[in-house]
Amino acid sequence: MLGATGPGKPLGTESHARRIRDIATLPSSDEAGLLGGMSTRVSRRFILSGLTASAALPAYANAPLTSLRPQPRGDSGVPPPAPGATDLINAAGLGGAVGYLALNADTGDVIDAFNPKLRLPPASVAKAATAFYAISRLGPAHRFETQLLANGPVTGGRLEGDLILRGGGDPTLDTDALGDLVTALKDAGIHEVTGRLRVDASALPTLPYIDPDQPDHVGYNPALSGLNLNFNRVHFEWKRAKDGYDVTMQARARRFRPEVEVARMSIAERRFPVYTYDTDGDRDKWTVARGALGKEGARWLPVRHPADYTAEVFRTLARSHGIVLRPGPEATGAMGDPLASHQSAPLNEMLRNMLRYSTNLTAEAVGIAATQAHGLQPSSLIRSAREMNLWMNGPLGAHATGFVDHSGLGYGSRVSAADMVHLMMAARQSGQLPALLRDFKTENTAVKVAAKTGTLNFVSALSGYATAAGHPPIVFAIFTADMDRRDAIRIEERERPPGARGWSRRSRGLQKKLIDRWVSMARV
């Protein structure tokens, strides 16, 4: 109940391939209508699959004829897999499809390849592309800023007007940082506000979730807006009491743990489903099955109204300092005089944590911010991802990347190992990305690997760099997926489908064996 890896949903009786062919012919106006609202939750998986089947076409139609980055060598005449590689693949027993490419990172020579141009789901390996995209567009020192503004004069500690909480799209803002903003307000001498607390969340588009095909209750699929808090999650905790259960919903951080009303939980007399979700205006209404609770426990639930969530927590913290704030309307693009601000960590530090903990909200926020830095204002994740596709399929020299978001959570993203290696080669030359990646251990302790992993149900991916003394550096990408098994998952099994954990374990084992094999094959 408390864990998930990004489940799939079953297909309908209609052929998946037929849906792709039909949807791929939709004009852009139809696409906008189909992707526009929460009513698309059932069909959006099919839509994204169809769109990304041809999404690369507009992305590289006007790209330069030659890449602005050095190209890997041997791409036009890729040799067959090294002897024994097919035995490793067969022994893994994954079914579905496997695609990989390993290059000498210094020369671009192909070390080994298997279906290198086959486009498969990248899962969270997409975050490596997003990290390089964000650094390239925003710079490693970029910071997100959250501000307090006064919409009126301040006289004798009294603000004669509204107080505006303006988000800058910071995906890492937490309750402690919000508390520091309240302290800064008090230190500025303000103890009374005659107007209202207004919030400005217009820095990023407001979206109710990252991927509508995920279960309602998984914390890795929250809402997104220009004003985010605690990765847009609320901490649900329960303990058995004399007459039932004590339940809390908190905006929990290290120093502050205020309870919230914007997200409410009720206990229902049932065993299944474990959770249900509904929305009531600006509130999240949850129920949980009593039969699933046990003695005590806790988990993070997603928040669907992040600006209202942040505003409520800010009012609670301000009240603890004796500053009473009345709620007010959202203030898109509101102007005012600055009173206090909070800046995020530098982008490179934020991205290091994103790659380590694979935080989807961070990936989407920095990805959209990178697109905005190019002068665009995307209204959806797929539109921002298309700009990243343009960037990869143009100057970086990739050919047919098809991301539908910046985190890899969405069903429709498809990338080939060859295109991922193109990006990783360019990122290595820039000197930015490799230092942000996590260590990945293989069976050979002499081999050092820095890589990004990616896991969904019956999807596993890995891309990065391998080094060992006496061997040339290797850049690689490995994608494995059994989409038939993924698409056949029943709704009631989508958090922990039978066989998925063992399948992922075998895929990781294959990845380790392949990397060690490539190192032994490559000599200086």
Side-chain angles (χ1 to χ4, degrees):
M1 179 181 71
L2 301 182
T5 57
K9 284 187 179 180
L11 292 172
T13 56
E14 186 176 352
S15 163
H16 193 196
R18 178 181 174 187
R19 287 180 180 270
I20 290 177
R21 289 195 302 270
D22 293 345
I23 295 167
T25 63
L26 289 173
S28 58
S29 59
D30 287 339
E31 173 210 335
L34 285 166
L35 299 181
M38 295 183 70
S39 62
T40 62
R41 296 190 64 141
V42 174
S43 61
R44 189 170 183 266
R45 166 174 290 197
F46 307 125
I47 294 165
L48 293 182
S49 297
L51 291 172
T52 55
S54 58
L57 297 177
Y60 70 82
N62 298 314
L65 295 178
T66 58
S67 172
L68 302 183
R69 303 271 185 180
Q71 294 289 304
R73 295 168 56 188
D75 189 48
S76 60
V78 175
T86 52
D87 293 337
L88 293 178
I89 295 172
N90 292 335
L94 299 176
V98 175
Y100 64 72
L101 177 63
L103 302 180
N104 181 316
D106 288 337
T107 66
D109 290 331
V110 176
I111 297 171
D112 193 11
F114 186 81
N115 292 329
K117 295 185 178 180
L118 178 64
R119 301 203 315 160
L120 293 170
S124 284
V125 166
K127 294 182 177 72
T130 297
F132 188 33
Y133 177 60
I135 289 175
S136 300
R137 287 280 176 88
L138 299 171
H142 176 82
R143 295 174 185 262
F144 294 85
E145 185 176 28
T146 306
Q147 296 177 295
L148 285 178
L149 307 175
N151 188 6
V154 178
T155 306
R158 180 186 178 98
L159 170 56
E160 301 287 352
D162 294 336
L163 179 66
I164 301 166
L165 176 60
R166 172 181 288 175
D170 183 358
T172 62
L173 184 74
D174 65 7
T175 299
D176 289 347
L178 213 57
D180 292 339
L181 271 177
V182 172
T183 300
L185 183 68
K186 185 177 181 180
D187 290 345
I190 295 177
H191 55 78
E192 184 178 356
V193 177
T194 63
R196 297 177 177 271
L197 174 66
R198 302 170 70 188
V199 296
D200 182 356
S202 62
L204 299 178
T206 296
L207 304 171
Y209 36 68
I210 295 171
D211 176 28
D213 280 317
Q214 304 298 325
D216 286 325
H217 61 276
V218 292
Y220 56 75
N221 188 38
L224 170 72
S225 83
L227 191 58
N228 308 293
L229 186 68
N230 301 327
F231 297 101
N232 293 338
R233 301 178 306 172
V234 62
H235 190 262
F236 164 47
E237 185 173 9
W238 65 94
K239 292 182 180 179
R240 183 173 289 162
K242 183 177 180 180
D243 298 322
Y245 284 90
D246 291 332
V247 171
T248 59
M249 300 285 274
Q250 295 179 335
R252 178 175 290 206
R254 287 184 175 88
R255 290 185 286 129
F256 302 115
R257 299 181 175 185
E259 294 196 23
V260 298
E261 293 292 327
V262 72
R264 297 179 175 179
M265 177 65 73
S266 300
I267 298 176
E269 295 294 339
R270 63 170 190 269
R271 295 193 61 83
F272 186 83
V274 176
Y275 292 97
T276 68
Y277 171 80
D278 197 2
T279 183
D280 180 13
D282 58 357
R283 297 179 184 272
D284 295 329
K285 296 172 59 178
W286 296 94
T287 72
V288 62
R290 181 183 295 271
L293 290 180
K295 182 179 179 181
E296 62 181 19
R299 73 170 296 157
W300 291 96
L301 294 172
V303 168
R304 302 292 177 214
H305 305 280
D308 297 304
Y309 174 53
T310 310
E312 181 189 355
V313 174
F314 185 85
R315 282 195 301 272
T316 300
L317 295 171
R319 188 166 56 248
S320 71
H321 285 74
I323 305 172
V324 178
L325 300 169
R326 294 182 294 160
E330 187 170 334
T332 303
M335 302 299 292
D337 297 322
L339 295 173
S341 68
H342 168 78
Q343 289 193 334
S344 72
L347 182 64
N348 59 348
E349 182 179 335
M350 183 182 294
L351 293 176
R352 182 179 289 108
N353 288 329
M354 177 195 77
L355 293 169
R356 178 177 180 81
Y357 299 108
S358 209
T359 45
N360 294 328
L361 179 68
T362 302
E364 304 301 351
V366 301
I368 292 178
T371 297
Q372 291 174 336
H374 203 57
L376 303 176
Q377 294 296 326
S379 59
S380 65
L381 297 180
I382 193 171
R383 295 190 185 280
S384 183
R386 279 182 169 178
E387 178 63 19
M388 188 167 77
N389 292 334
L390 257 175
W391 171 78
M392 283 190 66
N393 296 337
L396 289 192
H399 295 89
T401 56
F403 293 104
V404 300
D405 56 28
H406 296 289
S407 65
L409 184 61
Y411 178 87
S413 288
R414 298 290 185 272
V415 183
S416 71
D419 279 347
M420 195 67 207
V421 166
H422 272 281
L423 178 132
M424 300 302 278
M425 285 279 280
R428 180 175 181 265
Q429 291 173 348
S430 76
Q432 295 287 349
L433 183 62
L436 303 180
L437 296 171
R438 291 186 64 181
D439 292 340
F440 179 85
K441 297 186 182 302
T442 71
E443 296 173 359
N444 185 346
T445 57
V447 177
K448 306 299 181 185
V449 181
K452 181 70 188 83
T453 60
T455 305
L456 298 167
N457 286 331
F458 299 108
V459 171
S460 182
L462 184 73
S463 185
Y465 312 94
T467 58
H471 300 266
I474 297 172
V475 57
F476 67 89
I478 308 169
F479 295 140
T480 62
D482 189 338
M483 298 307 292
D484 288 341
R485 292 187 71 180
R486 177 171 171 79
D487 291 338
I489 299 171
R490 295 185 298 177
I491 292 176
E492 62 269 23
E493 297 175 338
R494 57 190 179 179
E495 276 205 82
R496 294 180 178 178
R501 182 172 296 181
W503 188 96
S504 294
R505 184 175 59 253
R506 295 195 303 276
S507 180
R508 288 192 298 271
L510 173 63
Q511 293 162 1
K512 294 176 181 179
K513 288 181 173 62
L514 286 172
I515 294 171
D516 288 342
R517 181 178 180 79
W518 297 334
V519 171
S520 67
M521 292 166 56
R523 297 289 180 180
V524 175

